[in-house]
Amino acid sequence: MTFDVIIRNGLWFDGTGRAPATRTLGIRDGIVAAVSAGPLDEAGCPDVIDADGKWVLPGFIDVHTHYDAEVLLDPGLRESVRHGVTTVLLGNCSLSTVYASSEDAADLFSRVEAVPRQYVLGALEAKKCWTTPAEYVAALDELPLGPNVASMLGHSDLRTAVLGLDRATTDDVRPTDAELDRMATMLEKALDAGLLGMSGMDAAIDKLDGDRYRSRALPSTFATWRERRRLIAVLRKRGRILQSAPNVKSPISALLFFLSSSRMLGRRSGVRMSLLVSADAKSAPAAVHVFGPGTRLLNKLLGSSVRFQHLPVPFELYSDGIDLPVFEEFGAGTAALHLRDQLERNELLADTEYRRRFRRSFDRKKLGPSLWHRDFHDAVIVECPDESLIGKSFGQIADERGLHPLDAFLDVLVENGERNVRWTTIVANHRPKHLDRLAAEPSIHMGFSDAGAHLRNMAFYNYALRLLKRTRDADRAGRPFLTIEHAVHRLTAEVADWFGVPAGTLREGDRADFVVVDPAGLDASVDAYHESEVPFYGGLSRMVNRNDAAVVATGVNGSVVFRNGEFVEGYARGAGSGHFLRAGVAQPRRARTTL
């Protein structure tokens, strides 16, 4: 029989961590039909990829995306696919669009993930044709998906559907026993439909959008541990996963997740958990020394199954004025972000009493845990109407003007128009030695790209390629921290197994999700800054990656969808080969569409 695709003479990594070997792969009907040490018969094969000198890998799995709205508007999800990602997970951080109404889901999602609300709401009003999880799964599977998609059910989505958005975000409201039972039943139905588990959010930094309940915290942050344990019991019974984030303001919060995951107290099994986030944060430079050992120790003592997500690249943020989620840590920051009108916001930022409150909060917060280092000397202006300020830090400007750094920051925003001042800083993963140690730490797994969200703040769509570059470069320099095959395993089968996704390996009989990487293309371009217009978000210019020299080809379900910097013909018109991957349904699955 002929093959649909042959990948000839590449250095093949199967995703399990085994050493690579030079092999030729034959793909038929979306499945890896042959892995051969010798040549395969190319007669009649319409697509032969010469991978001599290249790496042939399982497609990367991005376990932390917020594509929940974008997948409805542009199912190709190109910014991930062009960098070798063949499976993405939706429904993170308590946010999904399974149960909540379109308006409620838009209010939950838009401000948290920094995506224009009008387009999120428009997408849901135009495309939402489901009322049950089974219908949601079927609707997504009918889309011309570029990559494969899997999803979790968001706790905020679930809580809103049962309590209503008002009650779900009111501090003294507790669900009745009947409402808790209803939540548990609805979670069961989502798991029956093939969702991987549930996602939550315990940290109250994220706020609602819209006009009705604007600036309230997400519903899941109002849940008691009685409610959380009730839902975690469902996950335990079904062997499914929880993704969440502890409340950094509460030292006991993380411990409660470990205890809830535990196999102790007569429980037959633990619950796998993926928590945010393991990083070498500038705000807590000593934490990197205890994070991994502490997690391993607690897992051993308590019989828990907890890992923390890690972004294996420097955590660089950009911001247009004050439009950055870290400012939600301050009451004064939330007050400014509450105002959408530019003139009203500028007037507030110039107000003397407002600034006094902001300074008090800003200085006091330096004493406690935080996401941002709050060092304006480490925050550099990259765009500004006053060109004399470009390249300067706000701290430098404060020194020149004899001001408190926060006052200098606010002055620059007011003088130039708040959203006209673009600046950047690195908040974590800035020390290469510790970044390498984290990449090899067994208590973490790779994730937290936030692909599809924070469109003007970050672009980590190609973090997998950047990790492979660092791994290869370290090996060449004689200071290896991972083997290439271990790095590939961490980016593919390891996270697939933890989340219960039927993907991640590239062996004979597996679904043919693959990426062919040219190691010569793993150069400085993988770290370069770019922007690209997003037509389905009203022409918004978002941060993206454009290092197309690294990826020779990306294949999903046996179909090559991206090659040599270009998507295949028909991709822009909506042709795709991805599927919705249901938990408990083992790969392979025959491809539905061949491009």
Side-chain angles (χ1 to χ4, degrees), residues 103 107 110 124 140 186 207 237 243 268 325 361 375 410 412 427 439 454 493 500 556 572:
E103 185 176 19
D107 285 356
S110 302
L124 289 168
L140 262 61
M186 292 168 72
K207 301 296 188 289
K237 182 178 69 173
Q243 181 271 314
R268 293 184 178 179
S361 175
D375 181 3
L410 296 176
V412 171
V427 297
H454 306 292
V556 180

Side-chain angles (χ1 to χ4, degrees), residues 163-201:
L163 300 179
L165 189 53
D166 185 13
R167 291 182 66 225
T169 55
T170 299
D171 198 31
D172 58 352
V173 170
R174 299 290 179 266
T176 64
D177 289 344
E179 287 170 331
L180 283 178
D181 289 343
R182 187 179 170 208
M183 286 188 202
T185 299
M186 292 168 72
L187 175 57
E188 285 269 14
K189 289 182 178 179
L191 302 182
D192 289 341
L195 271 65
L196 303 176
M198 187 180 79
S199 71
M201 173 60 66

Side-chain angles (χ1 to χ4, degrees), residues 18-262:
R18 286 198 288 259
T22 299
R23 293 290 185 268
T24 294
L25 275 63
I27 296 168
R28 182 186 305 119
D29 294 334
I31 307 301
V32 179
V35 177
S36 175
L40 293 174
D41 184 2
E42 299 178 4
C45 179
D47 200 347
V48 177
I49 300 172
D50 185 1
D52 187 28
K54 313 298 192 299
W55 298 344
V56 182
L57 319 172
F60 304 128
I61 300 171
D62 193 341
V63 298
H64 194 116
T65 81
H66 291 286
Y67 277 133
D68 304 70
E70 185 169 333
V71 73
L72 304 176
L73 297 169
D74 187 34
L77 303 179
R78 298 167 221 206
E79 289 309 320
S80 289
V81 171
R82 74 186 309 129
H83 298 299
V85 175
T86 58
T87 300
V88 301
L89 271 61
L90 312 180
N92 284 282
C93 296
S94 85
L95 305 172
S96 61
T97 62
V98 178
Y99 281 121
S101 69
S102 296
E103 185 176 19
D104 286 347
D107 285 356
L108 291 170
F109 185 87
S110 302
R111 180 165 164 183
V112 172
E113 304 307 338
V115 179
R117 181 181 182 276
Q118 67 190 95
Y119 300 107
V120 175
L121 180 59
L124 289 168
E125 288 180 337
K127 306 288 186 178
K128 191 174 189 296
C129 57
W130 59 86
T131 58
T132 68
E135 291 171 350
Y136 172 76
V137 168
L140 262 61
D141 205 26
E142 284 301 313
L143 294 173
L145 298 170
N148 296 310
V149 168
S151 183
M152 289 170 286
L153 175 66
H155 188 186
S156 287
D157 177 8
L158 175 62
R159 204 167 198 268
T160 298
V162 173
L163 300 179
L165 189 53
D166 185 13
R167 291 182 66 225
T169 55
T170 299
D171 198 31
D172 58 352
V173 170
R174 299 290 179 266
T176 64
D177 289 344
E179 287 170 331
L180 283 178
D181 289 343
R182 187 179 170 208
M183 286 188 202
T185 299
M186 292 168 72
L187 175 57
E188 285 269 14
K189 289 182 178 179
L191 302 182
D192 289 341
L195 271 65
L196 303 176
M198 187 180 79
S199 71
M201 173 60 66
D202 199 13
I205 184 175
D206 296 318
K207 301 296 188 289
L208 298 184
D209 208 336
D211 296 319
R212 298 171 300 160
Y213 314 111
R214 186 172 180 80
S215 298
R216 293 189 189 181
L218 288 179
S220 65
T221 65
F222 293 88
T224 64
W225 271 95
R226 176 174 180 262
E227 178 181 329
R228 291 192 182 100
R229 284 193 295 269
R230 178 76 170 85
L231 298 174
I232 289 171
V234 175
L235 301 176
R236 185 186 307 277
K237 182 178 69 173
R238 300 292 295 274
R240 301 294 178 83
I241 192 164
L242 174 74
Q243 181 271 314
S244 195
N247 183 358
V248 295
K249 294 181 180 179
S250 172
I252 199 174
S253 177
L255 179 59
L256 290 171
F257 280 103
F258 279 88
L259 289 170
S260 297
S261 168
S262 173

